Amino acid sequence: MSSGPDTAVDENRLEELIIQAQTALPVELPALANQCASALGLDTALIYLVDLQQRLLIPLDEALEPLPVDRSSAGWAYRTVSPRVAEGDDGLILWMPLVDGAERLGVLAVRTASLDAVRMRRSRMLAHLFAMLVTSKRAYSDWLAARTRTATMRLPTEMLRAFLPPRTIGSSRCVSTAVVEPAYDIAGDAFDHSVVKNVLHTMILDAMGHDLTAGLTTSVAMAAARNARRGGGDTVDVVASVDQALAQWLPDHFCTGVLCRLDAETGVLHWVNCGHPPPLLIRAERVLAGALDRPPQPPIGLAGPLAPAARQVHETTLEPGDCVLLYTDGVVEARDADGAEFGLDRFTDFIIRSSAAGQRPAETLRLLIHAILDYQRNQLRDDVTILLFEWHPQRR
């Protein structure tokens, strides 16, 4: 690497651009990225965001073509969350991952005539800046949402996705990540995860049906759960809030689900299973058979005499490095052309092998959901949702 020409920074210009960024429209981000790169002594910077199914990296510059996640230097940076240097037509291209917390957003392509420690540091700063800008602006930008779509989305999916949190959240102690398919036609499945101080809350839901009412059922369930959590409720309160909301506002509609509460300091896990496939516990690269199986409880939202008298909350203590898997039945029931199911063994084996190979949890699920789609030739008979969380306590 060369130290290159003068590396002085125009701090006044950079300050102006950062102030300008606060009010910039999302469509102005490509030009702003180039201006910030110039102020940092770099050539240009291009923003690429990953599409909804994490197959393509789509440039915000509409004149450019998308890049494949699985077969490009840009995709390598996205998959591994690590910088990648490649030869360009007139210099070097430094592919920097765009990450918001634990959530992978895309990559930043920084062009520079030469690369040294100073330019690497400035490129990293630029990537951090634009990850925050994209995150802050995509919450209200239909343009950014549209750029990351490759197909037309159905109305029930549009409604349900408005409630979904980021795919990946976490801290140094724990990470939770999830995927849903079919990306543009999902209706009854949903996931939720949230961090409250040192506690990770996760939830997976599967409503009956595949229409607007199914999406509405899971949307109301998520809203009720968040309302209870934000009001300081414990696990029992959260489940009771969802039960009551569905019984009151959507009588005769219910869903199955699992709600979990993990204390990220102690590893104590509480969970409630409401008529759903039991969570799976993976420890030391093997599934602990039946570790989280408990007697089934009724689905969420049943009213009158069918409503349970009380929800039973189960408890266990995780060990460092443990993974917990929540999933909907569409995962294991996916069938190939001969009618053979994808199956629970194939599902867990994929997770274990990917983890043993050093894949991050979010990358493991990205690869897994694509494997399930390929197995069923992209024709899912049922919604598929998978949520995985890991506990990695800090060493003292």
Side-chain angles (χ1 to χ4, degrees), residues 18-224:
I18 293 175
I19 294 172
Q20 179 184 335
Q22 294 178 329
T23 56
L25 294 172
V27 74
E28 296 171 332
L29 289 180
L32 187 63
N34 278 330
Q35 292 171 323
C36 287
S38 177
L40 287 169
L42 305 166
D43 294 342
T44 62
L46 295 171
I47 302 168
Y48 288 76
L49 298 183
V50 73
D51 81 302
L52 208 56
Q53 295 179 296
Q54 300 184 84
R55 294 185 184 275
L56 297 171
L57 289 162
I58 299 174
L60 292 193
D61 184 337
E62 295 176 322
L64 301 178
E65 293 296 319
L67 300 171
V69 169
D70 288 315
R71 300 180 308 281
S72 66
S73 295
W76 189 93
Y78 176 82
R79 297 193 312 270
T80 63
V81 195
S82 302
R84 179 84 168 193
V85 181
E87 294 284 345
D89 296 334
D90 51 357
L92 301 174
I93 302 176
L94 178 59
W95 295 99
M96 299 296 299
L98 290 174
V99 182
D100 174 43
E103 171 81 335
R104 301 179 298 178
L105 306 175
V107 294
L108 186 71
V110 179
R111 289 185 179 270
T112 180
S114 60
L115 189 60
D116 57 15
V118 172
R119 288 184 176 85
M120 175 66 81
R121 185 171 64 252
R122 291 177 184 175
S123 297
R124 188 176 294 112
M125 289 168 53
L126 199 59
H128 288 318
L129 171 62
F130 277 89
M132 289 188 289
L133 287 173
V134 167
T135 300
S136 68
K137 295 179 187 298
R138 69 175 177 170
Y140 63 83
S141 173
D142 288 342
W143 180 71
L144 286 175
R147 283 299 292 160
T148 55
R149 295 183 182 182
T150 60
T152 301
M153 185 172 290
R154 294 179 65 246
L155 176 58
T157 309
E158 190 76 63
M159 179 184 67
L160 188 55
R161 281 198 172 275
F163 278 89
L164 293 182
R167 277 186 294 259
T168 308
I169 65 170
S171 66
S172 58
R173 291 190 179 96
C174 58
V175 172
S176 176
T177 186
V179 287
V180 293
E181 284 285 353
Y184 299 92
D185 192 26
I186 199 166
D189 279 17
F191 70 90
D192 195 16
H193 44 203
S194 173
V195 176
V196 180
K197 295 184 178 179
N198 293 315
V199 174
L200 171 68
H201 296 270
T202 60
M203 178 171 67
I204 196 165
L205 299 167
D206 184 358
M208 302 302 103
H210 195 85
D211 53 15
L212 190 63
T213 303
L216 185 59
T217 300
T218 47
S219 297
V220 169
M222 282 191 287

Side-chain angles (χ1 to χ4, degrees), residues 173-175 262-268 317-323 389-393:
R173 291 190 179 96
C174 58
V175 172
L262 172 65
D263 187 317
E265 290 190 334
T266 65
V268 173
T317 301
L318 300 184
E319 294 184 3
D322 279 356
C323 300
F389 62 90
E390 292 186 341
W391 183 53
H392 293 281

Side-chain angles (χ1 to χ4, degrees), residues 206-257:
D206 184 358
M208 302 302 103
H210 195 85
D211 53 15
L212 190 63
T213 303
L216 185 59
T217 300
T218 47
S219 297
V220 169
M222 282 191 287
R226 290 171 184 172
N227 184 251
R229 287 200 310 261
R230 293 165 185 175
D234 59 17
T235 306
V236 171
D237 297 325
V238 172
V239 183
S241 177
V242 179
D243 269 325
Q244 182 179 358
L246 291 181
Q248 178 179 357
W249 300 107
L250 289 168
D252 302 323
H253 294 282
F254 60 91
C255 59
T256 67

Side-chain angles (χ1 to χ4, degrees), residues 327-351:
Y327 63 97
T328 57
D329 52 15
V331 174
V332 296
E333 293 175 2
R335 296 178 182 273
D336 65 10
D338 298 323
E341 287 189 347
F342 192 82
L344 189 61
D345 289 343
R346 193 191 311 265
F347 169 52
T348 54
D349 185 63
F350 193 105
I351 297 283

